């Protein structure tokens, strides 16, 4: 890897991008330093992918600027050699072999033939696919494709790795493997921008998290910093049947309740002193014939933070 | 360099696709064989003969026809089946030899041989002429034999045998048919017609169908991956255009080599032929790129592309010569690039054309290539941004 610059490697300043009347990204600023894994957390449609496309130079911002290593992404083509992009969907030729796919992508970075061979072998080993190097990608399992998709973004030894929801649709074993790899990348000094809507992934791998909703960065910090914002609040999940929307409204009206969100079969509440609130929450459901089947009171985590900040559950 | 890498990956994918390979390499050769065998020109005529009851005299005419170069004989046993075969196009000409021809001949009476022919085209006219010539030749023998029998002590049969034996040694008036080299009407025949027209058809058609690969690459997110690297949109466009250009060249080269070696096609002036192949490959590259940006799904490109290619080929004279269609249709045909390419090949293959003589066609085709490549590049650029 090339020498790391002082200060943040990626710097986004007041990035804006609209599609028609809808602001997909609305004035987001963030920075990532070498060795830092930054999680961009938000529900589907929050603006994560738009943000990532602007960082990678795939989308021109309406306003603001992106620099990597102090160079502007939108004007300096060579800066893209510092970025490794891992798209959300598998972007590989299914009818070419793993080795052919990697060789092709490596050649786009003007690597010499010897270096291409070396890097392809290196990435295949990293992806644990050396024994399948000459097999067509369409014969691979979903997890193998995901690993190769990530590997393709590492061929040119980028300083900044941008991963757009890399674990979507992946089995638990492959997910575990991918997350371990991402943590390793951070340890080697690579800056990582990692988007996900899986809270536990962000908690596990990211040094710092930015919460994005409706195109705005509504909170940013380490996990501890974000959770501490909640003070003594708890997250209470009430699995229930009946009119959950009416139940949520009733809960929301109770003093001490900060935010309420509904999922398909539960109402999630963030409240001060959750255990004390429980009887009141159950009483709120009685007049509207809601049956609470299970209760789960947990310590605050990023999901609680998200619920508290946005008033919606992350996986809505 | 990067454009080459893109072209190499795209070409590799197409080569690995067996269906694409079949349409790219195998089908054109099959069609050349079929069309070439069908459009064989006027070198062989199939002649039907009803000789029932005509005796030895009739058999002599049948043998003479059978021995005539360029005539294949089919025997029919009644007039109805003979005329039916003619109506169905199974034979070019029908010959009805009258019953009792033997007796009529030996008694030196006039005899009439009937020839059935529609003569609606030059092939049938030529067949009727060839058959008439053979029958008149036999008539001359009979006249000679009758004359000799009447003025000597020989019998008719002895005189006929003598006349027949002398036929090969007696000086006679020969007849030679020479086609006038009128450059306005001469068309290549057989494989010399089918090979160049199928080249024109299949290079364009394969390119249109091949547009599916661009759509699939876009859907796979590969362009996005490329653009996330230090690759400009114009490099991707150049790579894709190069893919279609190279495939068109390879396909053309295959058809030319197979046409020359297997079917004896002479492709005319090499420099002019090379210029035409390259210009047409550029037209194909433009059509392929355009197909990749016009259609929304690979399935649309694979289904609509070949259909459009065949329709344009029909209009442009790849299926039949434009010289046989109406003036209006000929003018409409020349809206397509195919018509100009076929015109150029016709000039090269049957009129000893050179690069100078096909310069107007090359100019028009180059203009088609520029327009197609410009429009498609612009569209692909917009899709990539």
């Amino acid at each position: 890897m090339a020498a790391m610059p002082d200060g943040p490697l990626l710097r986004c300043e007041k990035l804006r991008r609209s599609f028609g009347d809808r602001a997909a990204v609305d004035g987001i600023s963030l920075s990532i330093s070498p060795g830092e894994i930054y999680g961009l957390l938000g529900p589907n449609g929050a603006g994560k992918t738009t943000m990532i496309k602007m960082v990678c130079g795939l989308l021109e911002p309406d306003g603001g600027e992106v620099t990597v290593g102090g160079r502007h992404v939108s004007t300096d083509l060579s800066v893209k050699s510092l970025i490794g992009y891992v798209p959300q969907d598998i972007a590989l030729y299914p009818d070419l072999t793993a080795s052919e796919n990697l060789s092709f992508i490596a050649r786009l970075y003007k690597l010499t033939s010897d270096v291409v061979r070396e890097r392809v072998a290196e990435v295949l080993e990293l992806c644990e696919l050396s024994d399948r190097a000459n097999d067509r990608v369409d014969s691979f399992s979903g997890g193998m494709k995901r690993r190769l998709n990530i590997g393709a973004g590492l061929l040119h030894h980028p300083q900044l790795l941008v991963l757009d929801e890399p674990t979507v649709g992946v089995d638990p074993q492959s997910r575990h493997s991918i997350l371990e790899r991402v943590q390793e990348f951070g340890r080697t000094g690579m800056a990582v921008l990692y988007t996900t809507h899986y809270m536990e992934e962000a908690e596990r791998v990211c040094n710092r998290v930015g919460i994005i909703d409706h195109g705005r960065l509504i909170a940013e910090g380490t996990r501890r910093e974000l959770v501490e914002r909640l003070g003594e609040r708890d997250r209470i999940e009430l699995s229930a049947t009946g009119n959950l929307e009416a139940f949520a409204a009733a809960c929301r009206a109770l003093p001490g309740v900060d935010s309420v969100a509904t999922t398909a079969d539960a109402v999630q509440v963030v409240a001060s002193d959750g255990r004390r609130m429980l009887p009141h929450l159950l009483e709120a459901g009685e007049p509207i014939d809601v049956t609470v089947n299970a209760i789960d009171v947990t310590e605050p985590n990023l999901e609680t933070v998200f619920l508290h900040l946005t008033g919606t559950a992350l996986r809505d | 360099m990067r454009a080459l890498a893109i072209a190499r990956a795209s070409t590799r994918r197409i080569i690995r696709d067996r269906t694409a390979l079949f349409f790219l390499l195998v089908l054109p050769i099959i069609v050349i064989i079929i069309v070439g065998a069908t459009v064989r020109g006027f070198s062989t005529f199939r002649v039907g003969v009803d000789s029932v009851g005509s005796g030895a005299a009739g058999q002599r005419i049948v043998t003479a026809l059978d021995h005539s170069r360029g005539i294949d004989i089919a025997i029919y046993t009644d007039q109805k089946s003979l005329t039916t075969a003619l109506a169905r196009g199974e034979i070019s000409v029908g010959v009805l030899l009258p019953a009792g021809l033997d007796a009529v001949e030996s008694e030196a009476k006039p005899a009439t041989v009937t020839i059935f022919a529609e003569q609606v085209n030059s092939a049938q006219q030529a067949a009727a002429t060839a058959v008439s010539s053979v029958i008149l030749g036999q008539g001359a023998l009979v006249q000679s034999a009758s004359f000799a029998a009447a003025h000597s002590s020989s019998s008719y049969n002895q005189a006929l045998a003598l006349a027949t034996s002398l036929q090969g040694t007696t000086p006679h008036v020969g007849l030679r048919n020479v086609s006038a080299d009128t450059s306005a009407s001469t068309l290549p025949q057989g494989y010399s017609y089918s090979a160049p027209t199928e080249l024109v058809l299949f290079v364009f058609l394969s390119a249109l169908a091949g547009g599916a690969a661009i759509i699939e690459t876009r859907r796979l997110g590969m362009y996005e991956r490329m653009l996330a690297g230090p690759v400009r949109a114009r490099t991707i466009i150049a790579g894709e255009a190069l893919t279609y250009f190279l495939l068109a060249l390879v396909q053309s080269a295959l058809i030319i080599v197979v046409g020359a070696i297997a079917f004896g096609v002479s492709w005319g002036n090499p420099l002019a032929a090379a210029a035409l192949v390259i210009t047409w490959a550029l037209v194909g590259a433009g059509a392929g790129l355009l197909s990749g940006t016009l259609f929304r799904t690979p399935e649309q490109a694979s289904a609509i592309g070949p259909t459009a290619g065949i329709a344009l080929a029909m209009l442009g004279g790849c299926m039949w010569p434009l010289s046989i269609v109406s003036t209006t249709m000929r003018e409409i045909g020349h809206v397509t690039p195919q018509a100009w390419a076929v015109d150029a090949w016709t000039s090269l293959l049957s009129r000893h054309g050179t690069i100078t003589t096909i310069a107007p066609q090359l100019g028009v085709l180059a203009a088609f290539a520029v327009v197609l490549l410009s429009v498609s590049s612009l569209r692909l650029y917009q899709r990539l941004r």
Side-chain angles (χ1 to χ4, degrees):
Chain A
M1 211 157 99
M4 283 179 263
D6 293 334
L9 180 72
L10 169 69
R11 199 186 286 275
C12 300
E13 291 288 341
K14 295 176 183 171
L15 277 184
R16 284 188 296 106
R17 174 73 197 209
S18 297
F19 296 102
D21 294 336
R22 193 178 65 84
V25 170
D26 191 5
I28 292 182
S29 297
L30 60 84
S31 60
I32 307 176
S33 298
E36 186 177 29
I37 303 174
Y38 186 102
L40 199 56
L41 195 63
N44 292 330
K48 301 189 297 292
T49 298
T50 304
M51 186 69 194
I52 272 194
K53 287 190 174 178
M54 288 192 285
V55 166
C56 294
L58 292 168
L59 208 57
E60 202 64 36
D62 293 335
E65 61 180 31
V66 181
T67 58
V68 175
R71 289 142 68 188
H72 287 271
V73 171
S74 54
T75 55
D76 186 350
L77 189 70
S78 66
V79 77
K80 289 187 175 181
S81 294
L82 303 178
I83 306 170
Y85 171 56
V86 179
Q88 186 173 343
D89 296 319
I90 307 290
L92 298 164
Y93 287 125
D95 40 10
L96 296 189
T97 66
S99 179
E100 287 167 344
N101 265 291
L102 294 178
S103 298
F104 163 63
I105 294 162
R107 282 179 207 286
L108 298 178
Y109 290 87
K110 279 198 168 175
L111 303 178
T112 62
S113 297
D114 287 345
V115 176
V116 167
R117 266 194 298 277
E118 187 186 301
R119 298 282 177 86
V120 167
E122 177 188 302
V123 165
L124 283 169
E125 193 167 333
L126 182 78
C127 301
E128 297 168 11
L129 289 169
S130 297
D131 56 335
R132 302 291 301 269
N134 297 318
D135 290 348
R136 283 167 54 132
V137 168
D138 53 12
S139 69
F140 286 6
S141 69
M144 290 159 79
K145 285 180 191 168
R146 278 276 163 205
R147 296 206 301 271
L148 192 63
N149 196 41
I150 295 172
L154 297 166
L155 281 160
H156 56 294
H157 288 180
Q159 292 183 20
L160 170 68
L161 182 65
V162 179
L163 298 126
D164 191 5
E165 309 216 26
T167 58
V168 169
V170 168
D171 61 89
Q173 197 181 350
S174 293
R175 174 178 293 188
H176 176 73
S177 162
I178 289 168
L179 295 179
E180 279 202 332
R181 293 269 181 264
V182 172
Q183 285 176 304
E184 266 178 46
F185 300 149
R187 282 195 287 271
T188 60
M190 198 182 281
V192 180
L193 174 58
Y194 187 101
T195 75
T196 181
H197 63 265
Y198 294 120
M199 202 67 72
E200 61 277 15
E201 283 186 8
E203 291 200 322
R204 180 174 159 187
V205 302
C206 299
N207 311 117
R208 210 148 55 91
V209 174
I211 294 177
I212 183 172
D213 193 34
H214 295 108
R216 288 173 174 273
L217 194 66
I218 55 174
E220 188 186 45
T222 62
R223 177 189 178 280
R224 176 184 288 271
E225 285 167 352
L226 291 170
V227 170
E228 278 177 356
R229 286 185 179 198
L230 294 175
E232 294 301 310
R233 293 180 180 87
D234 290 318
R235 174 178 166 276
I236 307 152
E237 182 165 304
L238 302 148
S239 299
T241 52
N243 187 343
L244 297 189
E245 289 301 329
F247 184 35
C251 293
R252 206 171 280 125
L254 293 171
V257 170
D258 289 325
S259 52
V260 181
T262 53
T263 62
D265 56 358
V267 169
Q268 295 178 355
V269 177
V270 175
S272 311
D273 196 353
R275 292 179 201 289
R276 192 185 58 77
M277 280 300 298
L278 265 181
H280 303 294
L281 292 170
L282 294 173
E283 279 170 19
E286 279 171 14
I288 48 175
D289 288 335
V290 167
T291 308
V292 175
N293 305 313
I295 300 167
D296 184 23
V297 181
T298 55
E299 294 289 312
N301 57 12
L302 284 179
E303 194 147 4
T304 323
V305 173
F306 191 85
L307 184 59
H308 173 65
L309 290 172
T310 67
T312 56
L314 189 57
R315 288 174 200 177
D316 279 358
Chain B
M1 181 71 180
R2 286 164 181 150
L4 278 178
I6 293 167
R8 190 156 75 170
S10 298
T11 308
R12 185 174 271 164
R13 294 185 64 219
I14 291 170
I15 287 171
R16 209 158 280 179
D17 181 351
R18 286 181 187 174
T19 310
L21 271 188
F22 176 78
F23 283 102
L24 204 65
L25 306 178
V26 181
L27 190 61
I29 303 301
I30 292 172
V31 175
I32 287 169
I33 294 170
I34 293 169
V35 176
T38 310
V39 189
R40 283 173 64 111
F42 312 143
S43 57
T44 303
F45 307 112
R46 193 163 167 80
V47 175
V49 180
D50 174 8
S51 60
V52 175
S54 60
Q59 190 53 47
R60 215 171 44 244
I61 293 174
V62 171
T63 306
L65 284 170
D66 203 20
H67 288 168
S68 294
R69 201 174 55 173
I71 291 180
D72 283 344
I73 292 290
I75 300 295
Y76 293 87
T77 52
D78 59 79
Q79 185 182 332
K80 188 165 184 285
S81 56
L82 182 73
T83 51
T84 303
L86 184 66
R88 287 177 180 164
E90 294 166 5
I91 54 174
S92 299
V93 172
V95 178
L96 178 63
L97 299 172
L101 184 60
D102 244 358
V104 173
E105 261 187 29
S106 56
E107 289 163 17
K109 290 179 181 170
T112 303
V113 173
T114 310
I115 296 176
F116 297 96
E118 289 188 310
Q119 302 198 29
V120 291
N121 60 36
S122 52
Q124 287 170 327
Q125 288 165 4
T129 305
V131 169
S132 302
S133 166
V134 172
I135 292 170
L136 289 174
Q138 289 301 307
L141 281 177
V142 170
Q143 276 185 314
S144 305
S146 299
F147 179 81
H151 295 89
S152 70
S153 57
S154 301
S155 68
Y156 170 77
N157 285 337
Q158 285 171 330
L160 184 61
L162 184 63
T164 306
S165 68
L166 289 172
Q167 191 182 29
T169 55
T170 309
H172 62 281
V173 178
L175 185 66
R176 185 162 62 98
N177 284 309
V178 178
S179 296
D181 192 8
T182 52
S183 59
S185 61
T186 307
L187 283 171
Q189 299 296 334
Y191 295 119
S192 295
Y193 173 77
S194 67
T197 51
E198 297 316 309
L199 183 154
V200 171
L201 186 157
F202 275 100
V203 164
F204 199 84
L205 188 148
S206 304
L208 284 181
I214 289 181
I215 302 165
E216 204 192 344
T217 303
R218 197 172 66 230
R219 289 172 81 185
L220 285 169
M222 288 306 288
Y223 288 141
E224 194 174 272
R225 193 188 270 284
M226 292 177 209
L227 289 167
V231 180
R232 294 187 194 280
R234 62 170 182 251
T235 306
I236 294 175
I237 294 167
E240 293 294 10
L242 188 61
T243 305
Y244 287 100
F245 178 65
L246 291 176
L247 285 173
L249 281 186
V250 168
Q251 195 178 24
S252 302
L254 178 90
I255 293 173
I256 286 171
V257 170
V258 172
I261 294 173
F263 307 124
V265 177
S266 168
W267 293 86
N269 182 298
L271 180 65
L276 184 52
V277 164
I278 290 169
T279 314
W280 187 244
L282 286 170
V283 173
L289 275 188
L290 190 64
S291 162
T293 59
L294 273 183
F295 300 115
R296 295 180 64 183
T297 64
E299 293 74 21
Q300 278 181 353
S302 302
I304 301 172
T307 311
I310 288 170
L312 290 170
M314 284 176 171
L315 280 174
C318 296
M319 303 287 191
W320 47 77
L322 285 184
S323 57
I324 67 166
V325 303
S326 68
T327 310
T328 309
M329 285 309 294
R330 197 155 45 241
E331 283 169 0
I332 292 172
H334 279 84
V335 172
T336 69
Q338 280 84 349
W340 296 92
V342 171
D343 283 352
W345 280 119
T346 303
S347 172
L348 290 186
L349 266 68
S350 61
R351 293 172 211 158
H352 312 294
T354 63
I355 197 152
T356 312
T357 53
I358 65 164
Q361 287 87 359
L362 285 177
V364 173
L365 290 175
F368 268 111
V370 168
V371 170
L372 284 170
L373 283 168
S374 303
V375 172
S376 58
S377 298
L378 196 64
R379 287 184 63 87
L380 187 54
Y381 186 81
Q382 286 166 343
R383 297 271 172 125
L384 292 173
R385 296 309 300 168

